[in-house]
């Protein structure tokens, strides 16, 4: 039976007690110790919390600010998961005809929507259409039957004179990132090293060399501006809650844990549930890889420390583990520590704001390896790109351009007067995703494989769909009611909820189970 956890925060208190953790490659143990207070910089050495909050507020005050949107949902009698952090107000304030027949219908939609967006400014309309034609010509010159690298270079030089990722209309900023992505493909084809720096409009932001402070700030802004983050996390968490109602031990294997914010909300729901056995023990295993950066072993370990401290503060039995991917980022199921009697959950988040750094082979390795573990459920969230078309690279390029144009429009509706905030989200998240998407299309030579979804892949390897509950669907609708009315939700194939902006699908959350599961 469908279940929605009713959470009551009236009795929630947080004392000035912190936790210390010791993390190895497999486990994290937790002990409580007394401290003088909750120091922001002790909470996370990666983030200068003092610079964001302005004073030494304790975690209780921050948690109350997290609950604003969830309180609205509770008042409407249904409640998605808790624990999302709303960023401080101070930051928000500062802060060619021969191939037309072969292209996807998305191209014509792009032309029409661009023409309709800014009727009040005919000059902007004209420039937007011009940018689309130039981008299309550059893509054709780079990969078409009559490809000419020199022509592509000339077109890209002209584009970089016309646009900048830092200012201009949505179409101009979007064109700047597509220009940089095409330039990266051109330089890569020539065997050149693509620099992450440079002057003027030539900065290759998509190299993902962003300061951790920018990443966290962009993450918080994105969840304020749009439902992209919460839609995927809430839908996955509700499915998990419904699947483990009567279990005493739950084990979640997370493909890309990022800052771990998804699991703070799940913990709140587990602690607050009114039916079933006592609060189950929650174990999370996060995948990590060697080297430096935000997804390295050390960074994931820090995420585990924060989650362990949070779990202790609310009384959630919890342990944290890591599982290193191989050097080629492939996944070995034998590297996981499994315990008899645990309900095993596989969580795979591939949508914004998760970075596009993992190769398709790595994702396939993880999902295929997960099948051998017979998980209770698999929660998958991914972008909804256009269907495969016959236009080759150019056709897929135009589909991608239309998709990200829709994303830009939806973000502008969320923060119409916050240009700096949008620019940070675009630079940290959208620039890298655009570059990664075009690189994969280019390597695949625009074939149809790039248009297939991971959900289709799961079905093909033997996973079976698991129905989305009525409560989960209602939860998603109520969530979208907190944002601009251009967002919509639809249910597909009984096991998938799709988030859309107006007529375009943006991302989907689907639930799967193994053939041998008892569900």
């Amino acid at each position: 039976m469908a279940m929605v956890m009713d959470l009551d925060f009236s009795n929630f208190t947080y004392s000035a007690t912190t936790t210390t953790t010791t993390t190895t490659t497999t486990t994290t143990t937790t002990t409580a110790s007394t401290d003088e207070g909750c120091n922001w910089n002790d909470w996370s050495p990666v983030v200068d919390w003092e610079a964001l909050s302005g004073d030494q507020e304790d975690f209780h005050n921050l948690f109350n600010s997290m609950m604003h949107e969830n309180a609205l949902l509770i008042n409407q009698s249904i409640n998605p998961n808790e624990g999302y952090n709303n960023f401080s107000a101070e930051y928000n304030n500062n802060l060619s005809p021969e191939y037309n027949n072969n292209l996807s219908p998305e191209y014509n939609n792009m032309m029409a929507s661009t023409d309709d967006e800014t009727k009040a400014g005919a000059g902007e309309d004209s420039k937007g259409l011009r940018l689309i034609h130039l981008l299309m010509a550059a893509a054709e010159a780079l990969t078409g039957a009559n490809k000419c690298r020199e022509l592509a270079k000339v077109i890209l030089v002209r584009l970089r004179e016309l646009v900048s990722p830092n200012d201009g209309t949505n179409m101009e900023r979007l064109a700047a990132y597509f220009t940089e992505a095409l330039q990266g493909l051109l330089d890569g084809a020539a065997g050149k090293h693509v620099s992450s720096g440079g002057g003027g409009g030539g900065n290759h932001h998509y190299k993902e060399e962003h300061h951790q402070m920018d990443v966290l700030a962009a993450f918080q802004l994105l969840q304020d501006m749009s439902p992209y983050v919460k839609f995927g996390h809430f839908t996955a968490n509700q499915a998990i809650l419904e699947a483990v109602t009567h279990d005493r031990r739950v084990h979640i294997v997370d493909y890309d844990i990022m800052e771990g914010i998804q699991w703070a909300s799940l913990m709140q729901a587990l602690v607050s549930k009114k039916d079933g056995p006592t609060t189950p023990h929650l174990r999370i295993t996060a995948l990590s890889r060697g080297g430096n950066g935000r997804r390295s072993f050390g960074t994931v370990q820090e995420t585990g420390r924060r989650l362990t401290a949070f779990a202790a503060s609310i009384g959630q039995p919890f342990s944290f583990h890591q599982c290193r991917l191989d050097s080629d980022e492939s996944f070995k199921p034998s590297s996981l520590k499994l315990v008899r009697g645990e309900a095993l959950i596989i969580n795979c988040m591939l949508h914004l704001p998760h970075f596009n750094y993992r190769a398709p082979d790595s994702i396939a390795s993880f999902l295929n390896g997960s099948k051998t573990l017979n998980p209770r459920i698999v929660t998958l969230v991914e972008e909804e790109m256009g269907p495969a078309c016959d236009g080759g690279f150019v056709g897929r390029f135009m589909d991608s351009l239309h998709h990200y144009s829709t994303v830009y429009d939806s973000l502008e509706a969320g923060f119409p007067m916050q240009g700096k905030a949008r620019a940070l989200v675009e630079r940290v998240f959208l620039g890298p995703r655009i570059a990664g998407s075009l690189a994969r299309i280019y390597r695949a030579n625009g074939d149809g494989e790039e248009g297939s979804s991971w959900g289709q892949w799961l079905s093909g390897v033997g996973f079976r769909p698991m129905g989305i509950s009525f409560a989960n669907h209602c939860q998603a609708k109520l969530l979208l009611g907190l944002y601009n009315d251009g967002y919509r939700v639809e249910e597909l194939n009984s096991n998938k909820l799709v988030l859309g902006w107006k007529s375009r699908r943006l991302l989907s959350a689907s639930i799967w189970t193994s053939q041998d599961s008892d569900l």
Side-chain angles (χ1 to χ4, degrees):
M1 182 175 180
M3 166 188 63
V4 177
M5 297 300 177
D6 296 321
L7 305 186
D8 179 9
F9 299 99
S10 59
N11 297 321
F12 176 76
T13 58
Y14 180 78
S15 64
T17 301
T18 61
T19 59
T20 60
T21 63
T22 303
T23 306
T24 68
T25 58
T26 56
T27 61
T28 299
T29 58
T30 307
T31 57
S33 62
T34 302
D35 202 344
E36 295 181 357
C38 181
N39 186 302
W40 284 112
N41 290 320
D42 289 341
W43 185 251
S44 171
V46 173
V47 181
D48 182 3
W49 287 104
E50 286 187 287
L52 302 182
S53 62
D55 56 27
Q56 295 287 316
E57 296 178 309
D58 64 63
F59 187 65
H60 177 58
N61 292 334
L62 176 63
F63 192 84
N64 285 339
S65 73
M66 292 179 184
M67 293 300 106
H68 174 66
E69 288 182 358
N70 291 311
L72 294 177
L73 288 164
I74 291 171
N75 290 335
Q76 298 179 68
S77 79
I78 195 167
N79 172 33
N81 309 311
E82 321 324 33
Y84 276 76
N85 177 10
N86 294 322
F87 212 43
S88 67
E90 292 89 347
Y91 184 85
N92 289 335
N93 291 333
N94 294 327
L95 286 177
S96 36
E98 58 267 27
Y99 24 85
N100 279 346
N101 292 332
N102 291 327
L103 293 178
S104 159
E106 306 292 2
Y107 173 75
N108 291 328
N109 292 337
M110 165 73 78
M111 292 301 196
S113 61
T114 303
D115 187 50
D116 290 341
E117 277 172 8
T118 55
K119 289 290 186 182
E124 290 183 359
D125 270 351
S126 177
K127 184 175 182 180
L129 291 171
R130 183 184 181 191
L131 292 174
I132 292 173
H133 283 297
L134 284 172
L135 288 169
M136 184 177 178
E140 177 67 15
L142 185 62
T143 64
N146 299 315
K147 64 181 178 181
C148 176
R149 289 179 42 79
E150 291 304 315
L151 176 58
K153 182 185 297 185
V154 170
I155 296 172
L156 292 175
V157 167
R158 180 57 179 150
L159 277 166
R160 293 169 75 175
E161 292 172 349
L162 292 172
V163 296
S164 166
N166 301 316
D167 53 50
T169 65
N170 277 352
M171 189 64 230
E172 289 169 358
R173 299 193 315 278
L174 180 66
Y177 283 112
F178 270 84
T179 298
E180 291 187 355
L182 287 172
Q183 185 67 54
L185 297 181
L186 182 65
D187 290 344
K192 297 179 181 178
H193 173 72
V194 182
S195 172
S196 61
N203 292 341
H204 292 280
H205 300 282
Y206 56 81
K207 294 301 288 182
E208 301 180 19
E209 295 173 357
H210 302 296
H211 193 280
Q212 289 287 348
M213 184 77 160
D214 287 345
V215 173
L216 182 63
F219 176 86
Q220 304 294 357
L221 288 167
L222 180 64
Q223 72 168 6
D224 282 344
M225 294 161 67
S226 76
Y228 293 145
V229 179
K230 296 184 179 74
F231 179 86
H233 289 179
F234 283 3
T235 303
N237 282 0
Q238 183 62 31
I240 293 171
L241 290 171
E242 294 168 0
V244 301
T245 303
H246 303 293
D247 289 281
R248 296 183 178 276
R249 300 186 66 88
V250 179
H251 183 191
I252 298 173
V253 180
D254 195 347
Y255 183 67
D256 187 12
I257 197 167
M258 286 191 69
E259 307 301 329
I261 194 68
Q262 177 181 359
W263 306 125
S265 63
L266 181 69
M267 290 179 193
Q268 272 291 311
L270 290 172
V271 168
S272 305
K273 71 175 185 175
K274 297 179 175 63
D275 56 349
T278 58
T279 302
H281 181 277
L282 175 64
R283 184 157 67 100
I284 293 177
T285 298
L287 300 194
S288 61
R289 71 179 205 181
N292 299 315
R294 58 180 301 278
R295 61 256 190 197
S296 67
F297 179 86
T299 305
V300 173
Q301 185 178 40
E302 172 56 28
T303 294
R305 188 183 74 85
R306 289 195 302 270
L307 285 174
T308 303
F310 178 77
S313 74
I314 63 173
Q316 168 66 56
F318 178 75
S319 60
F320 185 82
H321 301 242
Q322 287 198 61
C323 174
R324 288 202 193 217
L325 295 173
D326 288 344
S327 58
D328 60 354
E329 297 210 354
S330 61
F331 170 68
K332 288 183 177 179
S334 60
S335 63
L336 282 180
K337 177 184 177 182
L338 301 178
V339 177
R340 184 183 298 274
E342 287 183 330
L344 180 63
I345 309 295
I346 301 297
N347 189 70
C348 190
M349 299 285 133
L350 303 175
H351 66 304
L352 280 172
H354 296 261
F355 278 118
N356 229 10
Y357 57 82
R358 292 265 165 84
D361 287 348
S362 175
I363 301 172
S365 172
F366 174 66
L367 294 176
N368 198 43
S370 299
K371 184 175 182 294
T372 67
L373 301 174
N374 191 29
R376 178 76 57 85
I377 64 170
V378 176
T379 53
L380 172 69
V381 182
E382 59 182 327
E383 286 188 317
E384 285 282 310
M385 303 298 289
C389 62
D390 297 327
F393 175 80
V394 178
R396 296 300 300 163
F397 175 89
M398 293 306 298
D399 289 341
S400 183
L401 183 59
H402 187 210
H403 174 82
Y404 287 106
S405 175
T406 305
V407 173
Y408 268 58
D409 290 345
S410 67
L411 293 181
E412 183 176 44
F415 267 19
M417 304 303 292
Q418 295 287 342
K420 290 183 178 179
R422 290 201 316 273
L424 181 62
V425 172
E426 291 165 6
R427 175 168 59 86
V428 173
F429 292 129
L430 293 175
R433 289 196 76 90
I434 289 169
S437 177
L438 293 193
R440 289 196 307 275
I441 296 169
Y442 183 78
R443 287 194 300 267
N445 199 25
D447 64 24
E449 181 180 349
E450 181 60 28
S452 62
S453 71
W454 285 109
Q456 292 172 320
W457 190 92
L458 283 174
S459 178
V461 298
F463 284 95
R464 56 186 174 91
M466 180 177 172
I468 293 281
S469 71
F470 176 75
N472 211 337
H473 196 166
C474 290
Q475 174 181 269
K477 287 185 174 181
L478 286 173
L479 172 67
L480 298 194
L482 302 177
Y483 295 91
N484 188 286
D485 59 9
Y487 288 105
R488 61 183 178 85
V489 62
E490 62 178 312
E491 185 173 340
L492 294 179
N493 305 325
S494 78
N495 75 317
K496 177 191 290 189
L497 290 182
V498 179
L499 172 66
W501 173 255
K502 298 181 179 178
S503 62
R504 177 84 191 198
R505 294 172 180 172
L506 295 175
L507 61 90
S508 65
S510 58
I511 313 301
W512 303 83
T513 188
S514 58
Q515 295 287 1
D516 299 327
S517 173
D518 54 1
L519 289 180

